[in-house]
Amino acid sequence: MAKTDTRDIKATVNQINELADCGCEIARVAVPDSEAAQAISNIKKKTSIPIVADIHFDYRLALESLRAGADGLRLNPGNIREPEQVTEVVKAARQRQVPIRIGINAGSLPPASKPSISTSKHMVNIALEQIKLLESLDFDLIKVSLKAFDVPTTVEAYRAIAAKISYPLHLGITEAGLPRAGAVRSAVGIGILLDEGIGDTIRVSLSAHPCEEVNTAYEILKTLGLRQHGPTLISCPSCGRAEVDIIGLAESVDSSLRDISQPIKVAVMGCVVNGPGEAKEADVGIACGRGKGAIFRKGKVVSTVAEKDFLKALMAEVKNLLN
Ligand code: SF4
């Protein structure tokens, strides 16, 4: 999701293009007012990925966003409560064949009829009500999300709705926090669901630059073998056998790999004896010893280099392999 003020067209265009460069495939923008809705038209002229308008409270902003060319709408039915207003939006979306995501958030649910109902069930019930409303208007370009901060609640809700509907599901753990904890929460929640075959699109929500969200999302997909995207760094945790600063070297290699878009596995290992064997999965790697290191390819040592040349030699081998 873009984190710029949507009314600032230049900043929003720059951020969406930056997001596209780091692999984002759909961008959402906040639409807090009419000026933001109208800005979508100009934003679309200078960006290449689909733009989803995020609407809260005012259905008229959804209508304006559609007129401005939004490729999708995200509506939170918890805060557009008048069925006539939802109806008007659905009619306009149907005319333009624009999909609507019913975006349920645990934090903004309408009151439950039974106070004893669990949050996940309540989320599912609200989503099903909204789906029914959209279907009754002969609209089926529907996508659903059921996000909560709490991972077990989110997982329960998605499992339950996946058993009831066949519409695409957009996965996410909402307000997951700063990158360290947020990446873990997102990986656990989204990862469990994807591994069960649930989910069609994902968004990682972090209190960080949005490219960090995209990078984390790709790490989840790569970890599950669902997508290949850019390099994967395999690095040993280091231990008493390491004779060089493995953590520092792994960080430098990680930075150097950022400009590479091809999928390649690169290993940084702390000892010559165990390194190549332990990192057999890597395409290329380095196993470091005292003052020198062995560059290896697919587990086989291909050269030996001095410590001062570790980074340079490893990156040269990466480039050789990619060219
Ligand atoms: Fe320790 Fe070597 Fe394993 Fe790294 S590869 S953790 S240095 S034994």
Side-chain angles (χ1 to χ4, degrees):
M1 182 157 184
K3 302 191 179 189
T4 49
D5 182 335
T6 310
R7 293 164 292 201
D8 184 341
I9 294 169
K10 192 172 169 216
T12 305
V13 163
N14 287 345
Q15 188 160 89
I16 291 173
N17 286 333
E18 199 183 351
L19 279 164
D21 285 346
C22 67
C24 175
E25 294 174 349
I26 301 172
R28 182 157 49 113
V29 297
V31 181
D33 61 18
S34 180
E35 194 185 337
Q38 286 167 26
I40 291 173
S41 167
N42 284 323
I43 292 167
K44 277 195 58 68
K45 285 179 193 150
K46 294 181 179 163
T47 53
S48 58
I49 55 176
I51 307 287
V52 175
D54 191 66
I55 309 294
H56 289 269
F57 306 112
D58 190 343
Y59 77 105
R60 290 167 299 188
L61 298 177
L63 297 174
E64 278 193 81
S65 300
L66 288 170
R67 284 195 289 271
D71 301 288
L73 292 178
R74 181 270 169 137
L75 299 182
N76 184 340
N79 56 36
I80 301 183
R81 293 185 190 177
E82 295 302 326
E84 309 77 55
Q85 298 178 347
V86 177
T87 302
E88 211 176 316
V89 174
V90 170
K91 278 187 185 159
R94 192 180 54 221
Q95 271 169 9
R96 291 173 170 82
Q97 288 294 289
V98 168
I100 295 178
R101 167 155 70 92
I102 298 170
I104 311 284
N105 267 18
S108 56
L109 293 169
S113 50
K114 284 188 210 152
S116 57
I117 195 169
S118 70
T119 304
S120 62
K121 273 198 182 133
H122 188 32
M123 289 164 79
V124 171
N125 288 346
I126 299 289
L128 292 174
E129 273 171 27
Q130 294 299 316
I131 291 168
K132 218 164 150 190
L133 173 61
L134 268 56
E135 286 176 338
S136 73
L137 299 165
D138 197 22
F139 187 84
D140 65 358
L141 293 173
I142 299 169
K143 183 183 232 201
V144 181
S145 63
L146 302 164
K147 299 185 186 178
F149 166 79
D150 178 67
V151 169
T153 300
T154 308
V155 169
E156 260 171 44
Y158 277 107
R159 279 178 179 154
I161 203 145
K164 292 179 193 292
I165 63 166
S166 55
Y167 292 115
L169 297 176
H170 173 68
L171 306 183
I173 302 299
T174 197
E175 293 129 21
L178 289 163
R180 187 170 60 175
V184 174
R185 279 189 199 110
S186 300
V188 172
I190 295 171
I192 289 172
L193 291 164
L194 288 177
D195 196 49
E196 293 177 11
I198 296 171
D200 300 273
T201 54
I202 65 172
R203 189 256 169 126
V204 170
S205 306
L206 299 176
S207 307
H209 189 281
C211 280
E212 183 101 21
E213 299 181 339
V214 175
N215 294 338
T216 305
Y218 273 112
E219 289 303 325
I220 296 171
L221 296 175
K222 279 159 48 177
T223 302
L224 290 167
L226 295 171
R227 280 283 185 100
Q228 290 201 324
H229 181 81
T232 299
L233 178 65
I234 298 164
S235 61
C236 86
S238 191
C239 74
R241 285 193 188 87
E243 304 207 62
V244 297
D245 171 16
I246 284 301
I247 296 166
L249 179 62
E251 283 170 353
S252 303
V253 173
D254 190 44
S255 306
S256 304
L257 290 171
R258 272 182 206 154
D259 295 334
I260 292 172
S261 56
Q262 296 102 313
I264 182 169
K265 285 187 179 160
V266 180
V268 175
M269 306 298 285
C271 60
V272 182
V273 180
N274 295 332
E278 282 180 12
K280 266 201 198 97
E281 273 186 53
D283 296 301
V284 299
I286 184 163
C288 307
R290 180 176 299 191
K292 58 184 183 173
I295 300 287
F296 59 88
R297 198 187 269 207
K298 305 276 184 197
K300 297 242 161 64
V301 175
V302 291
S303 63
T304 304
V305 294
E307 186 169 347
K308 66 177 177 46
D309 297 324
F310 281 176
L311 181 63
K312 202 169 75 180
L314 180 63
M315 291 312 297
E317 195 61 34
V318 167
K319 280 175 190 151
N320 277 345
L321 195 78
L322 293 176
N323 289 332

